[in-house]
Amino acid sequence: MKFTPECLGFSNIPEPENLRLATPGVNAVPHHPEWKRGVPRDSGAGWDFDDVRDYYLGSLYEVDPVRLRAEDPDRYMQLSRTVTGRVMERVFDEWRSAESACGGGLVWFLKDLRAGAGWGIMDSQGNPKPVYHYLRRAWAPVRLAILDRGLDGVRIELHNESARPLSGELDVQIYGPESGVQAHAAQRVSVPERSSSTLALEGILGHFADPAYAYRFGARRHVAIGARFQSADLPSPLTGLYWPSLATPLAEVDLVCVVDPSTKTVSVKAPSLARDVRFELRGAEALDNYFDVAPGSERTFSLAGIGGPDDPVRGFASASNAPDGVRISTCD
């Protein structure tokens, strides 16, 4: 298929503020009738799009969605907010690949018509849902993608839709348990304008590693695959983390998160792998959210709507493996 219309329709869960509008005066839980009023359903079907989301939650995280919702509702909501974004991001990375015959798709759709977990990638108030951030990154003109090709190995793809060529260093790392680096290599890469470059991960490493555990030789040894492309032609490096299995548990991570009012930025550091990092801010809005952080690295993002010194930015940063979160501090 050259192009996919009306694709990737999920019941995308918004931030808590919009759910409170959807279920006023009651807890926002997926089985409540007020929640279900905002969930799309095909006429005559015995299922709705909550069930579609739950299918992928069970498949990718290897959990029983019904049991998880009953026993750990906070964890259920946390994973359900991000799973649709991860699916859409992966699909568009596949379609964007030079190996794909599909030229893209039309996501169904932009904005919810009512509060709740509708198809929209933005909620009924026009605010981004978590899925929005995954798609914004997947659709960026300059993009680094990590693709699992099964027995053919892992591919690193660099997409450059800008009008000028890019040249820089591609650094790859394979992380094991406890975020230890099990393999590392770097290579100079050039990407012509309006073009893409595809590199085999094991070609960069120079040896067989089976990073995505396709051959099943012994126990699984790799937890994540990281890539970073740094170029003087870009304002900031391109980064990517690929999880061969989202079901692999991660050790709890201690995040460090700082707001710098002078540069209107927020930065987060993680000494070990951090998955699904989320900002919850008051007094500003981060222009990126719901992302992963490689061990020992720092991610910095611009802030919108930041006030003056009498209106400081406050809030928390959390991750799926840092559920309690950490209070955000302010740079002096």
Side-chain angles (χ1 to χ4, degrees):
M1 183 178 292
K2 295 292 185 180
F3 187 81
T4 306
E6 298 184 18
C7 70
L8 299 172
F10 290 103
S11 172
N12 294 308
I13 300 178
E15 299 287 5
E17 293 80 4
N18 192 260
L19 285 181
R20 285 192 282 269
L21 297 176
T23 58
V26 299
N27 289 330
V29 290
H31 57 269
H32 194 280
E34 290 299 317
W35 173 295
K36 287 297 184 184
R37 290 181 65 190
V39 175
R41 174 189 293 272
D42 287 337
S43 298
W47 50 270
D48 62 23
F49 284 81
D50 271 342
D51 297 316
V52 175
R53 186 190 63 246
D54 278 353
Y55 168 81
Y56 286 97
L57 177 62
S59 177
L60 294 181
Y61 287 92
E62 298 179 21
V63 297
D64 179 344
V66 175
R67 182 170 182 176
L68 182 64
R69 188 172 66 217
E71 296 181 354
D72 193 346
D74 290 340
R75 180 71 169 171
Y76 172 85
M77 291 293 287
Q78 182 185 52
L79 297 182
S80 295
R81 274 195 170 91
T82 59
V83 69
T84 59
R86 289 198 176 276
V87 171
M88 291 195 196
E89 180 183 48
R90 188 174 298 184
V91 169
F92 273 98
D93 278 341
E94 289 289 344
W95 285 344
R96 201 168 180 178
S97 171
E99 300 173 353
S100 173
C102 182
L106 181 66
V107 171
W108 192 253
F109 48 66
L110 175 64
K111 181 174 175 286
D112 283 349
L113 301 179
R114 66 180 305 152
W119 278 319
I121 63 174
M122 303 179 78
D123 67 24
S124 59
Q125 306 298 303
N127 299 310
K129 292 184 182 181
V131 65
Y132 170 92
H133 298 286
Y134 289 94
L135 284 175
R136 184 189 56 77
R137 292 189 292 263
W139 294 342
V142 181
R143 166 77 171 164
L144 183 154
I146 304 174
L147 302 179
D148 185 352
R149 292 288 179 248
L151 297 180
D152 289 333
V154 172
R155 300 288 187 264
I156 310 294
E157 294 205 344
L158 289 166
H159 302 289
N160 176 21
E161 295 179 12
S162 72
R164 62 179 183 176
L166 298 177
S167 181
E169 184 166 271
L170 177 65
D171 194 292
V172 297
Q173 292 184 322
I174 301 178
Y175 300 101
E178 307 300 324
S179 300
V181 177
Q182 297 191 336
H184 167 258
Q187 179 176 315
R188 292 290 300 179
V189 178
S190 296
V191 190
E193 65 274 17
R194 310 196 191 287
S195 183
S196 299
S197 293
T198 302
L199 301 97
L201 175 61
E202 287 169 318
I204 300 173
L205 294 175
H207 60 84
F208 175 77
D210 191 22
Y213 195 52
Y215 285 87
R216 302 295 196 269
F217 292 158
R220 182 188 293 276
R221 298 188 300 112
H222 308 313
V223 175
I225 301 163
R228 176 186 175 93
F229 178 69
Q230 189 153 1
S231 169
D233 304 311
L234 296 173
S236 60
L238 302 178
T239 61
L241 270 176
Y242 175 72
W243 311 92
S245 172
L246 288 169
T248 302
L250 298 178
E252 286 203 11
V253 62
D254 295 321
L255 300 173
V256 176
C257 191
V258 179
V259 165
D260 188 341
S262 64
T263 59
K264 298 185 178 181
T265 58
V266 57
S267 63
V268 59
K269 296 180 183 178
S272 57
L273 287 164
R275 191 157 61 202
D276 302 323
V277 177
R278 171 180 179 257
F279 296 127
E280 185 175 351
L281 303 178
R282 294 184 299 276
E285 178 185 358
L287 298 186
D288 202 355
N289 214 345
Y290 293 92
F291 53 90
D292 303 324
V293 181
S297 66
E298 180 177 10
R299 304 286 304 275
T300 300
F301 306 103
S302 298
L303 292 171
I306 188 169
D310 296 330
D311 187 22
V313 178
R314 296 185 175 90
F316 294 85
S318 61
S320 61
N321 56 323
D324 294 335
V326 60
R327 187 180 297 276
I328 294 173
S329 60
T330 301
C331 181
D332 295 332

